Amino acid sequence: MILNYNKALCRIRLTSSWMSGFFILYVVEVYVGFKTLEIVDGDTLKLYLNNLLIYKNEHKLIIPIDSIDALVIDNCRSNISIQLLNKLSENNILIIICDKKHLPVSQVLPLSGNYNSLKIIQNQIKWTNQEKGFIWKQIINEKIKNQIELLNFLNIDIDELKILKNQIEFFDISNREGHASKIYWHKLFGKDFNRNDENDINILLNYGYAILLSYLSRSIVKKGLDNRISIFHKSFNNHFALACDLMEPFRPMVDYLVHKFYLENKCLLLTTLKDEIIKLFTKKIKINDQFDYFNNAIDKTIDSVIKNMNIPNIHIDYDKF
């Protein structure tokens, strides 16, 4: 049996709309967010004309590639063709592969996503310490600001973080970020919480951060920057250092959702909650006082770095999540 995308809509359960639904087609299970697909059951993924073709036993599901923005493969038994990988890369589609614990372990990105990438990278190499120190101060300011807004939204005292935010220096040499984070985590999840512990909360946070990092990495390549040339993070083993820098102001999005699960369930299972985390990246956030979809907001942030060596004003409206 072969179903094309439109016919498949008649054979599936759709929770609200195709942009925020959960699709179940017999033995093929696909989550579709705002152009985000999560494959949790499918033997083979192939290219068919300009479509993604998913096989499972005698069933086949066809999805147009131009309707996909990101593909999350969460099935260790799936096979994917090189032809399909090439086509997805040509279309700058983010590919995230998860391990048997359902955690993202790798991402597939094109080597060059911008015709002018050499010129952009040459300018990136010339970033001065003065420029880096200034923009890192901005990044930490936006991160702590969004942490403060989250705590305020949750009716949690913010006085200590407000003081630390006002003390941020060039390159954050006094590590206000570290001090703020310690206070922030204790206020969100209690004084016994530690980000280095192995627990359900950290598993969900790490999953969300990994997806966030992948989105930043894809946009960085698309805009012509080199992900290894960072502003602050430095490691010979980190090939996504720039994405690690630029993701900081967006982290509270993930924190909010995990905290919400924590309050409502007390039982945090990645397998049951990861779909909600993926949906998180279909929301709108405010960039310089204008709401835009998350993908566009990331692109605008990176454009601002390239053109002005500046970070825009990033506001997360938690009422909309």
Side-chain angles (χ1 to χ4, degrees), residues 16-64:
S16 56
S17 68
W18 86 271
M19 291 175 64
S20 60
F22 188 75
F23 290 179
I24 301 178
L25 173 63
Y26 297 110
V27 291
V28 177
E29 189 175 4
V30 182
Y31 163 76
V32 179
F34 180 71
K35 295 189 175 183
T36 300
L37 270 66
E38 183 189 17
I39 309 297
V40 298
D41 195 5
D43 290 340
T44 304
L45 283 67
K46 289 186 175 181
L47 179 67
Y48 174 70
L49 299 178
N50 200 37
N51 302 288
L52 165 61
L53 177 59
I54 305 170
Y55 286 86
K56 179 65 178 181
N57 298 330
E58 73 275 15
H59 301 291
K60 300 176 184 179
L61 179 64
I62 297 174
I63 302 175

Side-chain angles (χ1 to χ4, degrees), residues 41 47 83 101 112 128 133 143 180 207 226 234 269 287 289:
D41 195 5
L47 179 67
Q83 233 182 350
K101 295 180 181 179
S112 176
T128 65
K143 178 182 181 179
Y207 180 85
D226 190 318
K234 293 178 177 63
L269 297 177
I287 296 289
D289 298 322

Side-chain angles (χ1 to χ4, degrees), residues 199-242:
N199 54 45
D200 292 339
I201 293 174
N202 280 324
I203 288 173
L204 284 170
L205 288 171
N206 292 339
Y207 180 85
Y209 293 156
I211 301 294
L212 174 60
L213 180 72
S214 298
Y215 273 99
L216 264 296
S217 296
R218 189 268 302 274
S219 187
I220 284 168
V221 172
K222 180 172 70 175
K223 295 297 181 179
L225 292 168
D226 190 318
N227 214 349
R228 297 165 296 182
I229 303 173
S230 66
I231 297 165
F232 180 80
H233 287 89
K234 293 178 177 63
S235 171
F236 290 113
N237 299 319
N238 186 357
H239 296 284
F240 308 102
L242 184 57

Side-chain angles (χ1 to χ4, degrees), residues 40-292:
V40 298
D41 195 5
D43 290 340
T44 304
L45 283 67
K46 289 186 175 181
L47 179 67
Y48 174 70
L49 299 178
N50 200 37
N51 302 288
L52 165 61
L53 177 59
I54 305 170
Y55 286 86
K56 179 65 178 181
N57 298 330
E58 73 275 15
H59 301 291
K60 300 176 184 179
L61 179 64
I62 297 174
I63 302 175
I65 283 178
D66 60 10
S67 71
I68 304 171
D69 185 64
L71 178 66
V72 181
I73 303 174
D74 189 8
N75 180 8
C76 294
R77 298 180 301 277
S78 292
N79 296 308
I80 184 168
S81 72
I82 297 298
Q83 233 182 350
L84 176 60
L85 285 174
N86 285 335
K87 179 60 70 172
L88 295 174
S89 294
E90 286 173 13
N91 286 271
N92 200 38
I93 294 170
L94 175 62
I95 306 166
I96 301 170
I97 301 172
C98 300
D99 63 13
K100 61 183 180 181
K101 295 180 181 179
H102 310 288
L103 294 172
V105 291
S106 64
Q107 55 182 297
V108 180
L109 294 169
L111 289 176
S112 176
N114 189 290
Y115 74 96
N116 206 23
S117 60
L118 181 57
K119 181 178 179 181
I120 293 170
I121 291 172
Q122 285 176 335
N123 290 332
Q124 183 184 3
I125 293 171
K126 295 177 183 177
W127 287 349
T128 65
N129 278 337
Q130 186 70 26
E131 289 173 321
K132 290 180 180 180
F134 173 74
I135 199 171
W136 183 246
K137 179 182 178 180
Q138 285 188 315
I139 288 171
I140 298 308
N141 183 76
E142 289 298 308
K143 178 182 181 179
I144 297 179
K145 180 199 73 177
N146 285 329
Q147 290 175 333
I148 289 172
E149 290 180 354
L150 173 54
L151 293 179
N152 191 50
F153 177 77
L154 297 171
N155 295 315
I156 298 173
D157 178 66
I158 58 175
D159 289 344
E160 292 175 278
L161 263 69
K162 288 174 71 174
I163 293 171
L164 291 170
K165 178 178 176 293
N166 292 330
Q167 296 173 345
I168 302 170
E169 300 177 78
F170 179 81
F171 259 127
D172 190 27
I173 55 175
S174 58
N175 193 26
R176 297 298 89 183
E177 178 197 13
H179 292 293
S181 291
K182 184 177 180 179
I183 296 169
Y184 172 74
W185 291 124
H186 287 172
K187 288 182 179 292
L188 269 186
F189 298 114
K191 291 187 177 181
D192 293 332
F193 178 75
N194 189 314
R195 272 293 287 140
N196 296 318
D197 291 344
E198 291 188 14
N199 54 45
D200 292 339
I201 293 174
N202 280 324
I203 288 173
L204 284 170
L205 288 171
N206 292 339
Y207 180 85
Y209 293 156
I211 301 294
L212 174 60
L213 180 72
S214 298
Y215 273 99
L216 264 296
S217 296
R218 189 268 302 274
S219 187
I220 284 168
V221 172
K222 180 172 70 175
K223 295 297 181 179
L225 292 168
D226 190 318
N227 214 349
R228 297 165 296 182
I229 303 173
S230 66
I231 297 165
F232 180 80
H233 287 89
K234 293 178 177 63
S235 171
F236 290 113
N237 299 319
N238 186 357
H239 296 284
F240 308 102
L242 184 57
C244 290
D245 291 333
L246 298 177
M247 72 183 282
E248 296 293 346
F250 300 97
R251 284 179 182 263
M253 291 173 52
V254 178
D255 305 340
Y256 167 67
L257 194 62
V258 174
H259 181 266
K260 181 181 176 182
F261 291 152
Y262 172 72
L263 288 183
E264 292 177 355
N265 301 283
K266 297 293 182 181
C267 179
L268 302 175
L269 297 177
L270 178 59
T271 51
T272 57
L273 299 177
K274 60 188 176 70
D275 297 321
E276 294 299 322
I277 293 177
I278 291 176
K279 288 181 187 178
L280 185 67
F281 300 103
T282 71
K283 307 295 185 180
K284 287 186 176 182
I285 61 177
K286 190 180 285 187
I287 296 289
N288 288 338
D289 298 322
Q290 290 187 333
F291 279 104
D292 211 336

